[in-house]
Amino acid sequence: MKIPIYLSAVLLLAVSLATLRGAPSTESSGVDSSSGSPLPELEYLKAVNRVAPPRDPELLFLLMAQYSNANMQGEGAEFFSARLK
């Protein structure tokens, strides 16, 4: 019973490390995040939140965090303002 839990934890850790290691930094590449290729996590969360108001507020907090991490607070404010209307 404990083996699947341990395997899941190891898999999650491996995916997290691979994501962190392979993620390019916008500072080092000199690419402006608003004009460059969009962040896939941000685009996914935007799509999920556009479909309908989420039942779980955690999805909203994750989207806010993605906007903040991408230094796109203005775009985030516009997105949430449009969702409120």
Side-chain angles (χ1 to χ4, degrees):
M1 183 67 182
K2 290 184 180 181
I3 292 175
I5 294 172
Y6 290 132
L7 289 177
S8 298
V10 169
L11 180 62
L12 180 62
L13 180 63
V15 169
S16 298
L17 289 175
T19 303
L20 289 174
R21 195 166 198 214
S25 171
T26 56
E27 290 179 12
S28 63
S29 65
V31 176
D32 184 19
S33 62
S34 62
S35 64
S37 63
L39 300 170
E41 296 89 4
L42 179 64
E43 292 302 316
Y44 170 75
L45 289 168
K46 282 171 39 179
V48 167
N49 283 289
R50 277 188 191 125
V51 172
R55 294 183 183 144
D56 186 6
E58 185 177 356
L59 293 172
L60 290 172
F61 294 123
L62 289 172
L63 180 58
M64 285 188 267
Q66 285 294 323
Y67 273 119
S68 180
N69 289 339
N71 200 22
M72 299 171 60
Q73 291 87 358
E75 291 88 348
E78 291 173 12
F79 178 82
F80 287 111
S81 296
R83 292 291 299 149
L84 286 173
K85 292 180 181 178

